[in-house]
Amino acid sequence: MTKTLEKELLQNKYVSNIQVKEEKEKIIVYVTFKDVDNLMEVYITIHGIMDRQLKGRPFELEIVNQANKMISDLYNNEIQFIIYEALQTGKFTEMKTRLDEIQYAKAKNTILEPVEIKVFIDLDNLYLQIKLNESSFYKVISREV
């Protein structure tokens, strides 16, 4: 069953690598993405494939990031606080404004390509993607913080 799951997930154009780990209580699928345009759409698609293939067995979808140090530092030192504050307060437009300010400030103060920050929200999750040059960072955060 997991080989069929791996094969189907690897057919997705945004998936570069899959690792399936079977534990007693659940299956954990580690996914490494290629360059994703809309993390929410890709995550929902991948989650749907897993749901269908695993036929009700409990599972967890983990994103494996290959972000460079600059993106990791940006997330750890600035962005995560803005995101979690918005999840607590519900002030998503304020979050978007603050993230846009970070994106603009980083673009203005660097000779590298600008940082691109995208956020998508649905009823269940907040989807964050940060891109700088060829490096990307993806995070899905439950809205039930």
Side-chain angles (χ1 to χ4, degrees):
M1 179 189 328
T2 57
K3 289 292 176 206
T4 311
L5 174 63
E6 280 182 52
K7 186 177 176 187
E8 186 172 350
L9 291 176
L10 285 168
Q11 289 175 353
N12 185 292
K13 69 179 182 176
Y14 294 114
V15 174
S16 69
N17 192 34
I18 294 287
Q19 184 182 355
V20 179
K21 184 177 176 186
E22 292 193 54
E23 295 186 349
K24 275 191 275 186
E25 62 279 349
K26 66 184 168 193
I27 293 175
I28 303 174
V29 178
Y30 298 92
V31 180
T32 306
F33 289 120
K34 296 176 187 166
D35 192 19
V36 170
D37 297 321
N38 182 324
L39 180 59
M40 183 173 73
E41 288 176 1
V42 173
Y43 185 88
I44 290 170
T45 300
I46 298 297
H47 200 275
I49 292 168
M50 290 172 59
D51 217 19
R52 188 180 75 248
Q53 287 278 347
L54 296 174
K55 298 177 173 79
R57 290 179 65 189
F59 67 86
E60 197 173 297
L61 174 54
E62 291 285 332
I63 298 172
V64 178
N65 279 301
Q66 298 177 318
N68 65 27
K69 183 174 176 5
M70 191 170 175
I71 291 178
S72 296
D73 288 350
L74 185 61
Y75 175 77
N76 292 327
N77 298 327
E78 296 182 58
I79 293 175
Q80 72 171 331
F81 302 107
I82 296 167
I83 298 282
Y84 282 99
E85 181 180 40
L87 288 170
Q88 289 294 323
T89 63
K91 295 180 180 177
F92 295 111
T93 51
E94 187 178 308
M95 172 195 71
K96 176 73 172 117
T97 301
R98 290 171 67 192
L99 292 176
D100 287 348
E101 287 169 1
I102 289 172
Q103 182 173 295
Y104 176 73
K106 296 297 177 199
K108 198 172 133 183
N109 297 327
T110 183
I111 54 171
L112 300 170
E113 287 184 40
V115 173
E116 182 182 335
I117 303 170
K118 290 183 183 177
V119 176
F120 303 94
I121 303 170
D122 64 16
L123 292 173
D124 300 314
N125 299 309
L126 181 143
Y127 307 83
L128 170 69
Q129 49 190 101
I130 308 168
K131 184 174 190 231
L132 174 66
N133 299 324
E134 297 303 310
S135 186
S136 296
F137 176 90
Y138 304 105
K139 186 145 183 85
V140 177
I141 304 164
S142 172
R143 288 192 56 184
E144 294 177 19
V145 175

PDB file of all heavy atoms in Angstrom, residues 37-68:
ATOM      1  N   ASP A  37       3.865  26.982  -6.380  1.00  0.00           N
ATOM      2  CA  ASP A  37       3.213  28.273  -6.596  1.00  0.00           C
ATOM      3  C   ASP A  37       2.222  28.585  -5.479  1.00  0.00           C
ATOM      4  O   ASP A  37       2.161  29.696  -4.983  1.00  0.00           O
ATOM      5  CB  ASP A  37       2.461  28.293  -7.932  1.00  0.00           C
ATOM      6  CG  ASP A  37       3.393  28.131  -9.114  1.00  0.00           C
ATOM      7  OD1 ASP A  37       4.493  28.711  -9.076  1.00  0.00           O
ATOM      8  OD2 ASP A  37       3.031  27.425 -10.066  1.00  0.00           O
ATOM      9  N   ASN A  38       1.408  27.585  -5.128  1.00  0.00           N
ATOM     10  CA  ASN A  38       0.357  27.775  -4.129  1.00  0.00           C
ATOM     11  C   ASN A  38       0.386  26.581  -3.179  1.00  0.00           C
ATOM     12  O   ASN A  38      -0.123  25.509  -3.497  1.00  0.00           O
ATOM     13  CB  ASN A  38      -0.994  27.901  -4.824  1.00  0.00           C
ATOM     14  CG  ASN A  38      -2.136  28.141  -3.853  1.00  0.00           C
ATOM     15  OD1 ASN A  38      -2.160  27.625  -2.738  1.00  0.00           O
ATOM     16  ND2 ASN A  38      -3.106  28.913  -4.289  1.00  0.00           N
ATOM     17  N   LEU A  39       0.991  26.762  -2.022  1.00  0.00           N
ATOM     18  CA  LEU A  39       1.156  25.674  -1.066  1.00  0.00           C
ATOM     19  C   LEU A  39      -0.178  25.085  -0.627  1.00  0.00           C
ATOM     20  O   LEU A  39      -0.289  23.872  -0.452  1.00  0.00           O
ATOM     21  CB  LEU A  39       1.950  26.156   0.157  1.00  0.00           C
ATOM     22  CG  LEU A  39       2.206  25.110   1.242  1.00  0.00           C
ATOM     23  CD1 LEU A  39       2.971  23.907   0.702  1.00  0.00           C
ATOM     24  CD2 LEU A  39       2.937  25.738   2.418  1.00  0.00           C
ATOM     25  N   MET A  40      -1.185  25.914  -0.462  1.00  0.00           N
ATOM     26  CA  MET A  40      -2.489  25.410  -0.018  1.00  0.00           C
ATOM     27  C   MET A  40      -3.046  24.382  -1.006  1.00  0.00           C
ATOM     28  O   MET A  40      -3.457  23.296  -0.614  1.00  0.00           O
ATOM     29  CB  MET A  40      -3.486  26.562   0.173  1.00  0.00           C
ATOM     30  CG  MET A  40      -4.837  26.104   0.700  1.00  0.00           C
ATOM     31  SD  MET A  40      -5.947  27.478   1.119  1.00  0.00           S
ATOM     32  CE  MET A  40      -6.409  28.054  -0.504  1.00  0.00           C
ATOM     33  N   GLU A  41      -3.043  24.708  -2.287  1.00  0.00           N
ATOM     34  CA  GLU A  41      -3.564  23.791  -3.305  1.00  0.00           C
ATOM     35  C   GLU A  41      -2.770  22.482  -3.325  1.00  0.00           C
ATOM     36  O   GLU A  41      -3.347  21.391  -3.376  1.00  0.00           O
ATOM     37  CB  GLU A  41      -3.516  24.436  -4.690  1.00  0.00           C
ATOM     38  CG  GLU A  41      -4.528  25.531  -4.894  1.00  0.00           C
ATOM     39  CD  GLU A  41      -4.386  26.199  -6.249  1.00  0.00           C
ATOM     40  OE1 GLU A  41      -3.508  25.812  -7.061  1.00  0.00           O
ATOM     41  OE2 GLU A  41      -5.162  27.138  -6.505  1.00  0.00           O
ATOM     42  N   VAL A  42      -1.449  22.585  -3.285  1.00  0.00           N
ATOM     43  CA  VAL A  42      -0.593  21.395  -3.345  1.00  0.00           C
ATOM     44  C   VAL A  42      -0.795  20.535  -2.097  1.00  0.00           C
ATOM     45  O   VAL A  42      -0.945  19.320  -2.189  1.00  0.00           O
ATOM     46  CB  VAL A  42       0.893  21.789  -3.509  1.00  0.00           C
ATOM     47  CG1 VAL A  42       1.800  20.585  -3.403  1.00  0.00           C
ATOM     48  CG2 VAL A  42       1.102  22.509  -4.830  1.00  0.00           C
ATOM     49  N   TYR A  43      -0.832  21.165  -0.931  1.00  0.00           N
ATOM     50  CA  TYR A  43      -1.000  20.429   0.330  1.00  0.00           C
ATOM     51  C   TYR A  43      -2.340  19.694   0.349  1.00  0.00           C
ATOM     52  O   TYR A  43      -2.407  18.516   0.717  1.00  0.00           O
ATOM     53  CB  TYR A  43      -0.900  21.398   1.511  1.00  0.00           C
ATOM     54  CG  TYR A  43      -0.940  20.727   2.856  1.00  0.00           C
ATOM     55  CD1 TYR A  43       0.224  20.262   3.454  1.00  0.00           C
ATOM     56  CD2 TYR A  43      -2.133  20.563   3.546  1.00  0.00           C
ATOM     57  CE1 TYR A  43       0.209  19.654   4.699  1.00  0.00           C
ATOM     58  CE2 TYR A  43      -2.162  19.956   4.793  1.00  0.00           C
ATOM     59  CZ  TYR A  43      -0.998  19.504   5.361  1.00  0.00           C
ATOM     60  OH  TYR A  43      -1.031  18.898   6.588  1.00  0.00           O
ATOM     61  N   ILE A  44      -3.404  20.372  -0.058  1.00  0.00           N
ATOM     62  CA  ILE A  44      -4.739  19.750  -0.077  1.00  0.00           C
ATOM     63  C   ILE A  44      -4.761  18.578  -1.055  1.00  0.00           C
ATOM     64  O   ILE A  44      -5.332  17.525  -0.761  1.00  0.00           O
ATOM     65  CB  ILE A  44      -5.834  20.798  -0.385  1.00  0.00           C
ATOM     66  CG1 ILE A  44      -5.970  21.748   0.817  1.00  0.00           C
ATOM     67  CG2 ILE A  44      -7.157  20.140  -0.725  1.00  0.00           C
ATOM     68  CD1 ILE A  44      -6.827  22.970   0.568  1.00  0.00           C
ATOM     69  N   THR A  45      -4.117  18.736  -2.208  1.00  0.00           N
ATOM     70  CA  THR A  45      -4.044  17.643  -3.188  1.00  0.00           C
ATOM     71  C   THR A  45      -3.296  16.443  -2.615  1.00  0.00           C
ATOM     72  O   THR A  45      -3.771  15.311  -2.688  1.00  0.00           O
ATOM     73  CB  THR A  45      -3.355  18.125  -4.484  1.00  0.00           C
ATOM     74  OG1 THR A  45      -4.110  19.197  -5.043  1.00  0.00           O
ATOM     75  CG2 THR A  45      -3.220  17.005  -5.500  1.00  0.00           C
ATOM     76  N   ILE A  46      -2.119  16.689  -2.037  1.00  0.00           N
ATOM     77  CA  ILE A  46      -1.296  15.620  -1.463  1.00  0.00           C
ATOM     78  C   ILE A  46      -2.037  14.945  -0.314  1.00  0.00           C
ATOM     79  O   ILE A  46      -2.072  13.713  -0.205  1.00  0.00           O
ATOM     80  CB  ILE A  46       0.071  16.179  -0.971  1.00  0.00           C
ATOM     81  CG1 ILE A  46       0.874  16.773  -2.118  1.00  0.00           C
ATOM     82  CG2 ILE A  46       0.858  15.115  -0.215  1.00  0.00           C
ATOM     83  CD1 ILE A  46       1.292  15.826  -3.200  1.00  0.00           C
ATOM     84  N   HIS A  47      -2.656  15.750   0.539  1.00  0.00           N
ATOM     85  CA  HIS A  47      -3.409  15.221   1.676  1.00  0.00           C
ATOM     86  C   HIS A  47      -4.561  14.338   1.183  1.00  0.00           C
ATOM     87  O   HIS A  47      -4.831  13.274   1.752  1.00  0.00           O
ATOM     88  CB  HIS A  47      -3.931  16.383   2.527  1.00  0.00           C
ATOM     89  CG  HIS A  47      -4.299  16.004   3.912  1.00  0.00           C
ATOM     90  ND1 HIS A  47      -5.526  15.485   4.231  1.00  0.00           N
ATOM     91  CD2 HIS A  47      -3.596  16.059   5.074  1.00  0.00           C
ATOM     92  CE1 HIS A  47      -5.579  15.237   5.530  1.00  0.00           C
ATOM     93  NE2 HIS A  47      -4.406  15.575   6.059  1.00  0.00           N
ATOM     94  N   GLY A  48      -5.233  14.769   0.121  1.00  0.00           N
ATOM     95  CA  GLY A  48      -6.338  13.996  -0.456  1.00  0.00           C
ATOM     96  C   GLY A  48      -5.877  12.648  -1.003  1.00  0.00           C
ATOM     97  O   GLY A  48      -6.548  11.625  -0.823  1.00  0.00           O
ATOM     98  N   ILE A  49      -4.737  12.640  -1.679  1.00  0.00           N
ATOM     99  CA  ILE A  49      -4.162  11.389  -2.196  1.00  0.00           C
ATOM    100  C   ILE A  49      -3.863  10.448  -1.036  1.00  0.00           C
ATOM    101  O   ILE A  49      -4.184   9.253  -1.074  1.00  0.00           O
ATOM    102  CB  ILE A  49      -2.885  11.663  -3.021  1.00  0.00           C
ATOM    103  CG1 ILE A  49      -3.232  12.396  -4.320  1.00  0.00           C
ATOM    104  CG2 ILE A  49      -2.133  10.355  -3.309  1.00  0.00           C
ATOM    105  CD1 ILE A  49      -2.021  12.964  -5.065  1.00  0.00           C
ATOM    106  N   MET A  50      -3.269  10.976   0.017  1.00  0.00           N
ATOM    107  CA  MET A  50      -2.926  10.152   1.175  1.00  0.00           C
ATOM    108  C   MET A  50      -4.185   9.596   1.833  1.00  0.00           C
ATOM    109  O   MET A  50      -4.244   8.420   2.187  1.00  0.00           O
ATOM    110  CB  MET A  50      -2.111  10.976   2.178  1.00  0.00           C
ATOM    111  CG  MET A  50      -0.723  11.298   1.666  1.00  0.00           C
ATOM    112  SD  MET A  50       0.191  12.449   2.710  1.00  0.00           S
ATOM    113  CE  MET A  50       0.233  11.581   4.261  1.00  0.00           C
ATOM    114  N   ASP A  51      -5.190  10.433   1.969  1.00  0.00           N
ATOM    115  CA  ASP A  51      -6.463  10.022   2.567  1.00  0.00           C
ATOM    116  C   ASP A  51      -7.071   8.861   1.781  1.00  0.00           C
ATOM    117  O   ASP A  51      -7.512   7.861   2.358  1.00  0.00           O
ATOM    118  CB  ASP A  51      -7.412  11.227   2.546  1.00  0.00           C
ATOM    119  CG  ASP A  51      -8.292  11.297   3.773  1.00  0.00           C
ATOM    120  OD1 ASP A  51      -7.966  10.664   4.789  1.00  0.00           O
ATOM    121  OD2 ASP A  51      -9.316  12.004   3.702  1.00  0.00           O
ATOM    122  N   ARG A  52      -7.092   8.997   0.463  1.00  0.00           N
ATOM    123  CA  ARG A  52      -7.677   7.976  -0.406  1.00  0.00           C
ATOM    124  C   ARG A  52      -6.856   6.686  -0.383  1.00  0.00           C
ATOM    125  O   ARG A  52      -7.389   5.590  -0.244  1.00  0.00           O
ATOM    126  CB  ARG A  52      -7.780   8.522  -1.836  1.00  0.00           C
ATOM    127  CG  ARG A  52      -8.559   7.608  -2.783  1.00  0.00           C
ATOM    128  CD  ARG A  52      -8.637   8.169  -4.198  1.00  0.00           C
ATOM    129  NE  ARG A  52      -7.352   8.005  -4.878  1.00  0.00           N
ATOM    130  CZ  ARG A  52      -6.534   8.975  -5.235  1.00  0.00           C
ATOM    131  NH1 ARG A  52      -6.840  10.226  -4.994  1.00  0.00           N
ATOM    132  NH2 ARG A  52      -5.391   8.736  -5.840  1.00  0.00           N
ATOM    133  N   GLN A  53      -5.539   6.810  -0.491  1.00  0.00           N
ATOM    134  CA  GLN A  53      -4.663   5.638  -0.547  1.00  0.00           C
ATOM    135  C   GLN A  53      -4.606   4.878   0.783  1.00  0.00           C
ATOM    136  O   GLN A  53      -4.509   3.663   0.793  1.00  0.00           O
ATOM    137  CB  GLN A  53      -3.239   6.044  -0.943  1.00  0.00           C
ATOM    138  CG  GLN A  53      -3.081   6.429  -2.387  1.00  0.00           C
ATOM    139  CD  GLN A  53      -2.913   5.212  -3.286  1.00  0.00           C
ATOM    140  OE1 GLN A  53      -2.682   4.113  -2.839  1.00  0.00           O
ATOM    141  NE2 GLN A  53      -3.057   5.452  -4.572  1.00  0.00           N
ATOM    142  N   LEU A  54      -4.632   5.615   1.884  1.00  0.00           N
ATOM    143  CA  LEU A  54      -4.474   4.978   3.194  1.00  0.00           C
ATOM    144  C   LEU A  54      -5.803   4.521   3.794  1.00  0.00           C
ATOM    145  O   LEU A  54      -5.826   3.927   4.878  1.00  0.00           O
ATOM    146  CB  LEU A  54      -3.725   5.911   4.152  1.00  0.00           C
ATOM    147  CG  LEU A  54      -2.297   6.212   3.713  1.00  0.00           C
ATOM    148  CD1 LEU A  54      -1.657   7.264   4.612  1.00  0.00           C
ATOM    149  CD2 LEU A  54      -1.446   4.947   3.692  1.00  0.00           C
ATOM    150  N   LYS A  55      -6.895   4.814   3.117  1.00  0.00           N
ATOM    151  CA  LYS A  55      -8.224   4.288   3.454  1.00  0.00           C
ATOM    152  C   LYS A  55      -8.553   4.340   4.947  1.00  0.00           C
ATOM    153  O   LYS A  55      -8.868   3.332   5.578  1.00  0.00           O
ATOM    154  CB  LYS A  55      -8.359   2.851   2.955  1.00  0.00           C
ATOM    155  CG  LYS A  55      -8.231   2.719   1.449  1.00  0.00           C
ATOM    156  CD  LYS A  55      -8.289   1.262   1.015  1.00  0.00           C
ATOM    157  CE  LYS A  55      -8.326   1.105  -0.468  1.00  0.00           C
ATOM    158  NZ  LYS A  55      -7.085   1.227  -1.173  1.00  0.00           N
ATOM    159  N   GLY A  56      -8.433   5.539   5.518  1.00  0.00           N
ATOM    160  CA  GLY A  56      -8.832   5.713   6.908  1.00  0.00           C
ATOM    161  C   GLY A  56      -7.748   5.453   7.947  1.00  0.00           C
ATOM    162  O   GLY A  56      -7.966   5.702   9.129  1.00  0.00           O
ATOM    163  N   ARG A  57      -6.615   4.919   7.518  1.00  0.00           N
ATOM    164  CA  ARG A  57      -5.522   4.728   8.492  1.00  0.00           C
ATOM    165  C   ARG A  57      -5.002   6.091   8.920  1.00  0.00           C
ATOM    166  O   ARG A  57      -4.892   7.001   8.102  1.00  0.00           O
ATOM    167  CB  ARG A  57      -4.389   3.913   7.870  1.00  0.00           C
ATOM    168  CG  ARG A  57      -4.766   2.444   7.649  1.00  0.00           C
ATOM    169  CD  ARG A  57      -3.658   1.661   7.017  1.00  0.00           C
ATOM    170  NE  ARG A  57      -2.481   1.558   7.892  1.00  0.00           N
ATOM    171  CZ  ARG A  57      -1.316   1.070   7.490  1.00  0.00           C
ATOM    172  NH1 ARG A  57      -1.154   0.636   6.266  1.00  0.00           N
ATOM    173  NH2 ARG A  57      -0.297   1.004   8.327  1.00  0.00           N
ATOM    174  N   PRO A  58      -4.668   6.261  10.191  1.00  0.00           N
ATOM    175  CA  PRO A  58      -4.152   7.550  10.649  1.00  0.00           C
ATOM    176  C   PRO A  58      -2.809   7.868   9.990  1.00  0.00           C
ATOM    177  O   PRO A  58      -1.965   6.982   9.841  1.00  0.00           O
ATOM    178  CB  PRO A  58      -3.984   7.386  12.160  1.00  0.00           C
ATOM    179  CG  PRO A  58      -4.488   6.045  12.516  1.00  0.00           C
ATOM    180  CD  PRO A  58      -4.778   5.291  11.263  1.00  0.00           C
ATOM    181  N   PHE A  59      -2.640   9.124   9.601  1.00  0.00           N
ATOM    182  CA  PHE A  59      -1.381   9.526   8.976  1.00  0.00           C
ATOM    183  C   PHE A  59      -1.040  10.963   9.330  1.00  0.00           C
ATOM    184  O   PHE A  59      -1.878  11.719   9.792  1.00  0.00           O
ATOM    185  CB  PHE A  59      -1.435   9.354   7.455  1.00  0.00           C
ATOM    186  CG  PHE A  59      -2.392  10.282   6.758  1.00  0.00           C
ATOM    187  CD1 PHE A  59      -2.009  11.563   6.372  1.00  0.00           C
ATOM    188  CD2 PHE A  59      -3.683   9.870   6.460  1.00  0.00           C
ATOM    189  CE1 PHE A  59      -2.886  12.412   5.725  1.00  0.00           C
ATOM    190  CE2 PHE A  59      -4.572  10.714   5.816  1.00  0.00           C
ATOM    191  CZ  PHE A  59      -4.175  11.988   5.446  1.00  0.00           C
ATOM    192  N   GLU A  60       0.205  11.293   9.082  1.00  0.00           N
ATOM    193  CA  GLU A  60       0.704  12.642   9.293  1.00  0.00           C
ATOM    194  C   GLU A  60       1.514  13.023   8.060  1.00  0.00           C
ATOM    195  O   GLU A  60       2.294  12.220   7.557  1.00  0.00           O
ATOM    196  CB  GLU A  60       1.603  12.622  10.529  1.00  0.00           C
ATOM    197  CG  GLU A  60       1.880  13.963  11.140  1.00  0.00           C
ATOM    198  CD  GLU A  60       2.635  13.795  12.454  1.00  0.00           C
ATOM    199  OE1 GLU A  60       2.096  13.190  13.400  1.00  0.00           O
ATOM    200  OE2 GLU A  60       3.793  14.253  12.491  1.00  0.00           O
ATOM    201  N   LEU A  61       1.320  14.221   7.588  1.00  0.00           N
ATOM    202  CA  LEU A  61       2.058  14.738   6.442  1.00  0.00           C
ATOM    203  C   LEU A  61       3.065  15.759   6.949  1.00  0.00           C
ATOM    204  O   LEU A  61       2.682  16.773   7.536  1.00  0.00           O
ATOM    205  CB  LEU A  61       1.092  15.380   5.439  1.00  0.00           C
ATOM    206  CG  LEU A  61       1.656  16.114   4.238  1.00  0.00           C
ATOM    207  CD1 LEU A  61       2.607  15.257   3.440  1.00  0.00           C
ATOM    208  CD2 LEU A  61       0.528  16.602   3.341  1.00  0.00           C
ATOM    209  N   GLU A  62       4.336  15.458   6.783  1.00  0.00           N
ATOM    210  CA  GLU A  62       5.408  16.344   7.243  1.00  0.00           C
ATOM    211  C   GLU A  62       6.143  16.914   6.038  1.00  0.00           C
ATOM    212  O   GLU A  62       6.541  16.165   5.145  1.00  0.00           O
ATOM    213  CB  GLU A  62       6.415  15.568   8.105  1.00  0.00           C
ATOM    214  CG  GLU A  62       5.877  15.118   9.443  1.00  0.00           C
ATOM    215  CD  GLU A  62       5.756  16.242  10.446  1.00  0.00           C
ATOM    216  OE1 GLU A  62       6.524  17.222  10.351  1.00  0.00           O
ATOM    217  OE2 GLU A  62       4.886  16.134  11.323  1.00  0.00           O
ATOM    218  N   ILE A  63       6.348  18.217   6.041  1.00  0.00           N
ATOM    219  CA  ILE A  63       7.079  18.859   4.952  1.00  0.00           C
ATOM    220  C   ILE A  63       8.554  18.941   5.331  1.00  0.00           C
ATOM    221  O   ILE A  63       8.895  19.402   6.417  1.00  0.00           O
ATOM    222  CB  ILE A  63       6.529  20.270   4.674  1.00  0.00           C
ATOM    223  CG1 ILE A  63       5.068  20.179   4.226  1.00  0.00           C
ATOM    224  CG2 ILE A  63       7.380  20.988   3.626  1.00  0.00           C
ATOM    225  CD1 ILE A  63       4.377  21.519   4.119  1.00  0.00           C
ATOM    226  N   VAL A  64       9.405  18.472   4.425  1.00  0.00           N
ATOM    227  CA  VAL A  64      10.854  18.548   4.625  1.00  0.00           C
ATOM    228  C   VAL A  64      11.339  19.794   3.884  1.00  0.00           C
ATOM    229  O   VAL A  64      11.173  19.901   2.672  1.00  0.00           O
ATOM    230  CB  VAL A  64      11.561  17.290   4.071  1.00  0.00           C
ATOM    231  CG1 VAL A  64      13.068  17.415   4.238  1.00  0.00           C
ATOM    232  CG2 VAL A  64      11.027  16.037   4.745  1.00  0.00           C
ATOM    233  N   ASN A  65      11.909  20.726   4.638  1.00  0.00           N
ATOM    234  CA  ASN A  65      12.394  21.971   4.038  1.00  0.00           C
ATOM    235  C   ASN A  65      13.876  21.887   3.743  1.00  0.00           C
ATOM    236  O   ASN A  65      14.629  21.257   4.480  1.00  0.00           O
ATOM    237  CB  ASN A  65      12.128  23.149   4.973  1.00  0.00           C
ATOM    238  CG  ASN A  65      10.714  23.642   4.866  1.00  0.00           C
ATOM    239  OD1 ASN A  65      10.270  24.038   3.798  1.00  0.00           O
ATOM    240  ND2 ASN A  65       9.985  23.604   5.968  1.00  0.00           N
ATOM    241  N   GLN A  66      14.263  22.552   2.673  1.00  0.00           N
ATOM    242  CA  GLN A  66      15.674  22.664   2.315  1.00  0.00           C
ATOM    243  C   GLN A  66      16.016  24.143   2.172  1.00  0.00           C
ATOM    244  O   GLN A  66      16.680  24.553   1.235  1.00  0.00           O
ATOM    245  CB  GLN A  66      15.951  21.896   1.023  1.00  0.00           C
ATOM    246  CG  GLN A  66      15.664  20.416   1.171  1.00  0.00           C
ATOM    247  CD  GLN A  66      15.848  19.648  -0.104  1.00  0.00           C
ATOM    248  OE1 GLN A  66      15.447  20.098  -1.176  1.00  0.00           O
ATOM    249  NE2 GLN A  66      16.449  18.488   0.000  1.00  0.00           N
ATOM    250  N   ALA A  67      15.529  24.909   3.144  1.00  0.00           N
ATOM    251  CA  ALA A  67      15.717  26.356   3.096  1.00  0.00           C
ATOM    252  C   ALA A  67      17.137  26.734   3.485  1.00  0.00           C
ATOM    253  O   ALA A  67      17.762  26.058   4.299  1.00  0.00           O
ATOM    254  CB  ALA A  67      14.730  27.027   4.044  1.00  0.00           C
ATOM    255  N   ASN A  68      17.605  27.823   2.901  1.00  0.00           N
ATOM    256  CA  ASN A  68      18.935  28.308   3.284  1.00  0.00           C
ATOM    257  C   ASN A  68      18.859  29.020   4.636  1.00  0.00           C
ATOM    258  O   ASN A  68      17.778  29.267   5.174  1.00  0.00           O
ATOM    259  CB  ASN A  68      19.535  29.185   2.182  1.00  0.00           C
ATOM    260  CG  ASN A  68      18.757  30.468   1.954  1.00  0.00           C
ATOM    261  OD1 ASN A  68      18.095  30.986   2.844  1.00  0.00           O
ATOM    262  ND2 ASN A  68      18.845  30.972   0.739  1.00  0.00           N
TER     263      ASN A  68
END
